[in-house]
């Protein structure tokens, strides 16, 4: 009887010859050079092989039927390596393969702890965000609690529910932001929200009236520390810094006193919100408050047929200008700061967004339409207020220290 060819060989005529490299013979009695089949990608074999062998770490075989595995060169500019049985070389831990096919160092916010990170399925750490699954740009979220780990795009997968848009920094419909450092929270009933807005606006008016009344009766300079506190906190909280929650709450309360209408969460009541709505509301309230301060002296002027100079020297005029002065000092940092925020834009994936409200695109048609109002406020109130104070002090420099 004939003896079948051994493992790793096949019958060729009357002889048993070796299975070719890249193939394997895992049974006896094979009759063609196909043997038991070609080695699949990620493996290789030499002649007489009875089985395919996985490529070693640092090597790869991209196609089937490979005799040798090609080495990945970790010193190559693409910093590639591979795991055992690899079909391709991948980026080392700490690197990721870009859309150009080059391994690049991972930036803050990227999770490249394992080999083989690719831009298309790149893992993002919590508190970070990127524009799309093809973008190399990974940014820290201005509100860390609004961003979820593993985000890949601008959809809900990368944002905590209720937060959406660029950097997850925009509140979804039916949500509001309790403070600039808090994630968006769900609004309550609309009726309660409307009542809350009205109550907060009324409270603002009452507090300003009390403030003016105290200023009239208090010794000169008594309210100066309070005004300094409001001004200092207003300026501090405009910066993106991890302030204590208690300080943020105090600043939010004082923001309402200085016409920070966003403290009332108008979006929950169905009122215009966002940067444009809040700024326009603040300007309107500023005009109303300042007009209210000057209403008594203007009425006295009309009743007594005074000239403007006589009105300014009258008791009503003196009280009106004094009230207006302290209120303007109180409101100046908030209103001017909001106007300056209009020019703070961040370019993300080729588009500039307003940092005070990432739902607003800078330099578009609506932005330029709003620009004249902002410039008017900056010139007339932001710069006009200190200029007017300087002018008055300069004109009265000879009498500033008189006893009366």
């Amino acid at each position: 009887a004939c003896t079948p060819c051994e493992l790793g060989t096949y019958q060729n005529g009357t002889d048993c010859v070796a299975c070719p490299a890249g193939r394997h013979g895992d049974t006896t009695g094979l009759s063609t050079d196909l043997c038991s089949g070609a080695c699949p990608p990620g493996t290789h074999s030499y002649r007489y092989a009875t089985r395919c062998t996985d490529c070693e770490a640092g090597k790869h075989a991209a196609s089937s039927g490979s005799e040798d595995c090609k080495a990945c060169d970790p010193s190559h500019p693409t910093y590639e390596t591979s795991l055992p049985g690899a079909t391709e070389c991948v980026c080392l831990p700490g690197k990721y393969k870009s859309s150009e096919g080059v391994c690049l160092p991972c930036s803050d916010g990227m999770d490249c702890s394992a080999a083989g990170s690719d831009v298309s399925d790149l893992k993002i750490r919590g508190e970070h965000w990127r524009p799309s699954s093809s973008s190399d740009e990974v940014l820290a979220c201005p509100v860390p609690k609004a961003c979820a780990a593993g985000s890949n795009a601008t959809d809900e997968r990368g944002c905590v529910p209720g937060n959406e848009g660029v950097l997850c920094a925009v509140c979804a419909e039916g949500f509001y932001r309790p403070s600039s450092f808090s994630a968006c929270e769900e609004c309550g009933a609309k009726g309660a929200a409307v009542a809350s807005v009205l109550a907060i606006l009324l409270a603002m008016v009452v507090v300003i009236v009390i403030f003016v009344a105290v200023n009239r009766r208090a010794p000169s300079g008594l309210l100066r520390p309070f005004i300094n506190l409001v001004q200092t906190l207003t300026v501090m909280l405009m910066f993106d810094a991890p302030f204590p929650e208690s300080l943020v709450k105090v600043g939010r309360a004082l923001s309402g006193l200085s016409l920070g209408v966003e403290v009332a969460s108008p979006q929950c009541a169905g009122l215009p919100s966002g940067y444009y709505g809040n700024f326009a509301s603040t300007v309107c309230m500023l005009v109303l408050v300042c007009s209210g301060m000057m209403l008594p002296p203007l009425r006295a002027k009309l009743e007594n047929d005074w000239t403007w100079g006589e009105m300014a020297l009258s008791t009503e005029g003196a009280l009106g200008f004094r009230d207006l002065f302290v209120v303007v000092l109180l409101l100046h940092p908030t209103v001017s700061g909001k106007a300056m925020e209009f020019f703070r834009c961040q370019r993300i994936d080729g588009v500039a967004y307003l940092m005070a409200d990432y739902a607003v695109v800078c330099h578009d048609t609506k932005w330029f339409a709003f620009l004249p109002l902002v410039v008017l406020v900056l010139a007339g109130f932001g710069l006009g207020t200190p200029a007017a104070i300087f002018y008055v002090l300069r004109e009265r420099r000879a009498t500033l220290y008189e006893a009366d």
Side-chain angles (χ1 to χ4, degrees):
C2 297
T3 302
C5 291
E6 298 179 354
L7 298 175
T9 65
Y10 70 96
Q11 185 175 349
N12 184 8
T14 58
D15 298 321
C16 291
V17 296
C19 288
R23 295 186 175 274
H24 66 290
D26 57 6
T27 61
T28 60
L30 296 173
S31 59
T32 70
D33 60 357
L34 297 177
C35 293
S36 297
C39 291
T43 64
H44 73 106
S45 69
Y46 301 117
R47 297 176 69 232
Y48 291 105
T50 60
R51 63 181 180 84
C52 298
T53 304
D54 286 344
C55 292
E56 302 173 4
K59 295 183 178 181
H60 73 289
S63 58
S64 60
S66 297
E67 177 180 359
D68 295 299
C69 296
K70 295 181 179 179
C72 300
D73 185 1
S75 64
H76 190 271
T78 57
Y79 306 101
E80 292 181 329
T81 186
S82 70
L83 302 175
T87 60
E88 63 178 350
C89 294
V90 295
C91 297
L92 291 166
K95 307 288 191 300
Y96 75 98
K97 182 171 286 188
S98 69
S99 53
E100 289 78 23
V102 178
C103 294
L104 299 175
C106 291
S107 60
D108 291 340
M110 295 181 180
D111 184 359
C112 306
S113 54
S117 296
D118 188 274
V119 68
S120 62
D121 59 0
L122 189 62
K123 294 181 180 179
I124 306 298
R125 300 186 187 277
E127 304 182 356
H128 290 79
W129 177 93
R130 68 171 175 160
S132 68
S133 58
S134 61
S135 175
D136 297 296
E137 192 173 19
V138 175
L139 303 169
C141 295
V143 182
K145 294 179 181 179
C147 293
S151 60
N152 258 329
T154 57
D155 58 22
E156 68 278 5
R157 292 177 301 158
C159 302
V160 173
N163 302 265
E164 62 184 17
V166 177
L167 294 171
C168 302
V170 180
C171 289
E173 185 176 355
F175 286 76
Y176 75 102
R177 194 178 303 283
S179 73
S180 56
F181 306 106
S182 302
C184 300
E185 297 181 4
E186 190 170 3
C187 296
K190 187 173 182 179
V194 172
S196 175
V197 169
L198 293 176
I200 290 174
L201 293 178
L202 179 61
M204 289 182 185
V205 175
V206 171
V207 171
I208 290 178
V209 170
I210 294 175
F211 181 80
V212 170
V214 172
N215 177 65
R216 289 185 176 185
R217 292 170 174 76
S220 178
L222 180 64
L223 290 177
R224 188 177 301 168
F226 178 75
I227 295 176
N228 289 341
L229 172 65
V230 174
Q231 293 176 333
T232 302
L233 281 181
T234 300
V235 174
M236 282 176 55
L237 295 177
M238 287 181 181
F239 294 93
D240 297 329
F243 295 109
E245 187 66 25
S246 57
L247 183 64
V248 174
K249 291 181 179 179
V250 172
R252 183 170 173 81
L254 294 178
S255 174
L257 176 60
S258 53
L259 303 187
V261 295
E262 63 276 5
V263 71
S265 303
Q267 63 270 37
C268 291
L271 299 174
S273 60
Y275 179 84
Y276 292 139
N278 290 339
F279 185 79
S281 300
T282 298
V283 172
C284 290
M285 292 186 65
L286 172 67
V287 173
L288 291 175
V289 169
C290 292
S291 300
M293 298 293 102
M294 295 307 298
L295 189 59
L298 287 173
R299 184 174 59 186
K301 176 185 181 298
L302 294 175
E303 291 175 351
N304 297 283
D305 198 23
W306 289 336
T307 64
W308 289 105
E310 290 172 334
M311 184 196 75
L313 295 174
S314 67
T315 302
E316 293 87 347
L319 285 175
F321 281 116
R322 180 179 179 180
D323 295 343
L324 181 64
F325 178 75
V326 295
V327 170
V328 165
L329 286 182
L330 183 68
L331 304 181
H332 187 267
T334 296
V335 178
S336 300
K338 288 183 180 297
M340 291 299 296
E341 287 178 343
F342 185 73
F343 301 98
R344 292 186 64 210
C345 299
Q346 182 179 3
R347 186 166 292 278
I348 300 174
D349 205 30
V351 180
Y353 295 93
L354 193 69
M355 296 177 67
D357 182 1
Y358 283 94
V360 175
V361 176
C362 295
H363 314 135
D364 65 355
T365 303
K366 191 172 183 179
W367 188 91
F368 279 108
F370 207 77
L371 178 61
L373 175 61
V374 175
V375 173
L376 179 63
V377 172
L378 277 177
F381 187 74
L383 299 177
T385 297
I389 293 174
F390 172 79
Y391 174 78
V392 172
L393 293 177
R394 186 176 183 279
E395 288 296 311
R396 302 194 61 182
R397 61 187 181 277
T399 59
L400 287 176
Y401 297 102
E402 290 182 359
D404 59 351

